[in-house]
């Protein structure tokens, strides 16, 4: 057999062996049957001046075999050339749906290209398993998880990616690349704020046409490149970044790459987003059925000034408006009066809590609220007791100065003693206090990565980060974990598989936040999107928007409140209580429904219920709006011949009207966002 097809929910992926058995290539990827006919990817031109492999849609190739067109693998025996060639070594059984082996007889490198269709989704997961069957140490300079070919045409590719910086994460950008390369990467030891490890590819000539995407399951340093190949196809390479140096593989040893998920949709970027949402839901599993509680987080209200009395005042106000979970952010532990101390010493500052921390937690819970805590396990302050006792636990290069970022250092989590310290510290906190929620933060990248004798520091750190999250899941299954890294710097599929939601950005200013959330929802599902209502004007956004606008924005994911409720008057608290109650009515649809990203609106559909959130972003220029004049939001993919009734107003619309005339919104200056819930009632 020289041709194989892996079938996903509504798509298929077909690969074939090159007749000489030198490499595997993609035949077709799309709706079932797309493989019946000449391959749209086959190299029809002449491979002039380059090798045949350089012009072929190869699935995975070492440099040597593919010397010019971008290799997925750069490996060689230590001190030797890092060029290798291999031949097909058979299909084998094992984890996944398809496993095809290649062997380089000269070095003894054996690579198994692995494929797994993810149940009920249009996601195909790929990874590579290496074994050193030779007698010399091999060194990997590059080891991508996959090469991914997309049948773009002569106009090249339209590439969509999510970029930014701290407080500006998930900015959606598009570039049309007729030739050349786009390269995204992080050397930070976390996925980073600059790029999400995610990319979407379309034919530049067909921006509304099919879309293909890649998303990495790796929480450390990474790289994704997209090359426009001589034939016009786009070839994406995605994988972890061996950093700072090459990865060795000793004779007899094995090494696997992280997984990369591939998705495709004939319904453009919106369809692709829904494929990613279905995958996030699969990764969340049964935990999707747990209602994500409305939280209050005290960070913006009190920052480091955490005192029992003022926290309780906030908790009482929060409980009064229907909040279900109270999270004390940074500042609750010894030595944490500001950002120069405390990290590493995870003991509550008892003197801040009259009657002790345990009594404080009890009082919060007596209000009917769950209790949650912020932690930053991998961080250490130079002023801490932990650092005084274990200065050798941080990343450092002997004789070189250590860089401080946010006044802190980073623990070398790949060490077993550091892992064990963090495991027992977190376990101890969760055992001693009734904590239902952890916000796991990480506020500085890895610098001075050194440890005598250690080779793969990034890989070891990531492995123990995952192991700690896995430990929390199995030993404290009722605890919800929010992933955070100075905002959204740790948004990758491996983190998502082990946590319950993600803090996408510290920026909660409503207009900026809408853009951040729009980008987030292209790549990830709403049940993961943590979002707070904060004060206005606030830390990030001096432009006033109504309370309703800020609530509707946060309702697009998992609603939280981060405002200083002690300064809210009764009218504002009353309005907030109504909006929290409204959110509780719609949250199941928001978290599990089919999402359509519309212009200044999001539509969620679950069964017969349609929830539409819409925002009026303009008209802060003083120009009067005429009350009663309607803005229209055309909805998508409803049944044109069904009838839909607005649950609140009773207004009735045909599906065709909603699709083609649009759902009317009556914006006035005091009414700049709204939630509409429609029920499909009957066929007209
Ligand atoms: C990071 C997080 C914030 C907050 C602070 C606390 O910046 O992203 O949400 O928790 O740390 O120090």
């Amino acid at each position: 057999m020289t041709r194989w097809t892996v079938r996903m929910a509504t798509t298929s992926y077909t690969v074939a062996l090159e007749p000489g058995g030198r490499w595997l290539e993609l035949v077709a990827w799309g709706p079932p049957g797309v493989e019946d006919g000449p391959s749209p990817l086959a190299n029809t031109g002449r491979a002039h001046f380059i090798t045949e492999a350089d012009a072929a849609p190869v699935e995975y190739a070492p440099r040597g075999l593919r010397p010019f067109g971008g290799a997925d693998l750069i490996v060689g025996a230590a001190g030797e050339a890092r060029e290798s060639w291999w031949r097909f070594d058979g299909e084998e059984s094992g984890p996944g749906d398809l496993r095809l082996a290649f062997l380089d007889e000269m070095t003894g490198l054996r690579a198994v290209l692995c494929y797994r269709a993810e149940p009920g989704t249009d996601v195909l997961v790929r990874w590579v398993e290496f074994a050193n069957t030779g007698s010399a140490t091999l060194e990997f300079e590059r080891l991508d998880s996959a090469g991914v070919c997309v049948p773009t045409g002569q106009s090249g590719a339209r590439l969509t990616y999510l970029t930014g910086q701290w407080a500006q994460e998930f900015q959606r950008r598009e570039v049309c690349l007729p030739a050349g390369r786009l390269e995204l990467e992080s050397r930070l030891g976390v996925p980073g704020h600059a790029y999400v490890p995610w990319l979407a590819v379309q034919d530049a000539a067909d921006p509304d046409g099919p879309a293909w995407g890649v998303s990495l399951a790796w929480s450390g340093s990474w790289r994704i490149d997209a090359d426009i190949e001589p034939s016009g196809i786009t070839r994406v390479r995605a994988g972890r970044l061996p950093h700072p140096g090459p990865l060795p593989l000793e004779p007899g040893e094995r090494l696997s790459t992280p997984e990369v998920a591939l998705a495709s949709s004939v319904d453009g970027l919106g369809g692709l987003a829904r494929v990613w949402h279905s995958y996030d839901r699969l990764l969340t599993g049964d935990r999707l059925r747990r209602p994500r509680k409305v939280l209050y987080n005290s960070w913006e209200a009190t920052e480091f000034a955490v005192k029992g009395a003022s926290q309780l005042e906030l908790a009482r106000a929060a409980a009064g408006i229907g909040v279900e979970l109270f999270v004390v952010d940074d500042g609750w532990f010894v030595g944490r009066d500001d950002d120069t101390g405390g990290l590493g010493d995870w003991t509550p500052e008892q003197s801040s809590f009259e009657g002790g921390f345990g009594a404080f937690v009890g009082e919060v819970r007596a209000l009917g609220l769950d209790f949650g805590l912020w932690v930053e396990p991998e961080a250490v302050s130079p002023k801490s007791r932990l650092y005084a006792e274990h200065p050798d636990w941080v990343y450092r290069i002997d004789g070189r100065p250590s860089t401080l970022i946010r006044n802190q250092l980073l623990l070398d989590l790949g060490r077993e003693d550091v892992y064990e310290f963090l495991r027992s510290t977190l376990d101890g906190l969760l055992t001693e206090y009734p904590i239902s929620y952890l916000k796991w933060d990480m506020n500085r990248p890895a610098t001075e990565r050194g440890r005598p004798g250690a080779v793969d520091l990034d890989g070891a750190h990531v492995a123990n980060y995952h192991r700690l999250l896995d430990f929390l899941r199995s030993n404290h299954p009722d605890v919800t974990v929010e992933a955070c890294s100075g905002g959204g710097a740790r948004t990758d599929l491996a983190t998502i598989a082990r946590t319950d939601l993600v803090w996408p950005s510290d920026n909660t200013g409503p207009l900026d936040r809408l853009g951040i959330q729009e980008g987030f929802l292209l790549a990830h599902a709403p049940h993961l999107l943590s979002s707070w209502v904060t004060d206005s004007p606030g830390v990030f956004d001096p432009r006033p928007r109504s309370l309703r606008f800020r609530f509707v924005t946060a309702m697009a994911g998992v609603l939280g409140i981060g405002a200083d409720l002690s300064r809210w008057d009764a009218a504002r608290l009353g309005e907030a209580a109504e909006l929290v109650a409204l959110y509780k009515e719609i949250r199941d649809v928001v978290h599990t429904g089919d999402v359509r990203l519309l212009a200044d609106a999001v539509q969620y559909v679950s069964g017969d219920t349609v929830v539409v959130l819409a925002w009026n972003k303009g008209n802060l220029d003083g120009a009067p709006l005429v009350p009663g004049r309607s803005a229209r939001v055309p909805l998508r993919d409803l049944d044109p011949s069904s009838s839909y009734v607005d649950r609140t107003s009773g207004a009735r619309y045909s599906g065709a009207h909603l699709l083609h005339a649009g759902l009317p919104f009556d914006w006035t200056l005091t009414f700049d966002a709204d939630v509409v819930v429609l029920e499909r009632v009957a066929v007209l």
Side-chain angles (χ1 to χ4, degrees), residues 299 304 329-330 374 406 439 441 443 484 486-487 503 506 532:
W299 172 244
F304 297 101
D329 208 281
D330 202 348
W374 174 96
R406 208 195 187 204
K439 176 176 169 191
D441 206 344
N443 275 309
C484 172
W503 180 237
D506 283 345
W532 305 344

Side-chain angles (χ1 to χ4, degrees), residues 354-678:
E354 215 171 289
F357 187 69
F360 163 72
V361 176
E363 281 181 78
V364 171
R365 286 170 53 84
L367 294 166
L369 298 166
D370 281 357
F371 183 77
L373 217 47
W374 174 96
V375 285
E376 193 180 345
E378 298 143 274
V380 62
S381 306
K383 273 204 293 199
S384 65
R385 201 183 57 229
L386 182 74
Y387 185 65
E389 285 170 8
H390 299 287
D392 53 329
W393 280 9
V394 301
Y395 287 114
R396 78 213 139 83
I397 297 173
D398 283 339
R400 300 286 181 188
S402 292
T403 307
L404 285 179
I405 297 179
R406 208 195 187 204
N407 298 308
Q408 63 197 60
L409 296 165
L410 189 65
L411 291 176
D412 177 356
L413 175 53
R415 290 173 63 118
E416 194 58 21
D417 44 10
V418 172
Y419 169 82
E420 186 44 37
F421 163 75
L422 293 180
R423 192 203 58 75
S424 59
T425 301
L426 294 174
D427 192 43
L429 273 174
L430 296 176
T431 309
E432 188 169 354
Y433 303 105
I435 295 168
S436 316
Y437 191 98
L438 278 184
K439 176 176 169 191
W440 180 312
D441 206 344
M442 199 280 203
N443 275 309
R444 60 149 296 158
T447 51
E448 295 88 32
R449 281 202 136 173
R451 192 207 310 160
V455 281
D456 183 14
L457 294 173
D458 196 52
H461 191 115
V462 169
N464 275 347
Y465 162 65
H466 293 163
R467 190 172 155 211
L468 268 175
L469 288 172
D470 291 341
F471 168 83
L472 294 179
R473 279 238 155 152
S474 53
N475 286 268
H476 300 279
D478 296 331
V479 173
T480 296
V481 178
E482 177 176 12
C484 172
S485 179
R490 229 178 202 170
T491 311
D492 63 277
L493 290 173
T495 293
I496 282 170
R498 296 169 168 86
T499 55
D500 296 281
L501 65 169
V502 179
W503 180 237
S505 178
D506 283 345
N507 189 339
T508 52
L511 292 182
D512 284 3
R513 188 72 175 194
L514 274 180
I516 290 166
Q517 296 190 171
E518 203 181 292
F520 184 97
L521 290 173
L522 263 190
H524 293 295
H527 73 276
L528 300 167
L529 172 59
S530 177
S531 195
W532 305 344
V533 173
T534 51
D535 282 309
S536 179
V539 181
F540 289 100
D541 195 345
R543 289 165 289 181
R545 290 282 155 175
S546 72
L547 187 70
R548 192 177 182 87
F549 191 102
R550 286 174 277 137
F551 261 95
V552 176
T553 300
M555 284 185 206
V558 179
L559 173 67
I561 294 168
D564 185 354
L565 294 182
S566 66
R567 293 194 288 125
W568 285 21
D569 62 16
R572 180 167 287 221
L573 290 169
E575 189 183 349
E578 280 172 24
L579 290 161
V580 170
L582 171 61
Y583 168 74
K584 287 178 181 170
E585 280 176 36
I586 62 168
R587 70 176 148 192
D588 279 354
V589 177
V590 169
H591 297 160
T592 61
D594 257 11
V595 175
R596 300 287 182 287
L597 299 169
L598 313 173
D600 296 335
V602 191
Q603 167 192 325
Y604 307 81
V605 181
S606 176
D608 288 332
T609 307
V610 183
V611 170
V612 183
L613 311 184
W615 300 270
N616 175 19
K617 296 206 296 204
N619 297 305
L620 279 184
D621 54 3
L625 279 176
V626 182
R629 183 181 289 173
S630 289
R632 293 285 182 151
V633 175
L635 303 187
R636 301 254 177 86
D637 302 313
L638 302 182
D639 175 9
S641 55
S642 278
S643 191
Y644 294 82
V645 173
D646 182 327
R647 216 191 253 179
T648 312
S649 71
R652 177 182 282 253
Y653 311 94
S654 72
H657 185 89
L658 294 171
L659 290 167
H660 306 297
L663 177 65
F665 284 87
D666 182 8
W667 302 130
T668 70
L669 278 178
T670 52
F671 194 53
D672 54 7
D674 207 1
V675 177
V676 173
V677 183
L678 301 163

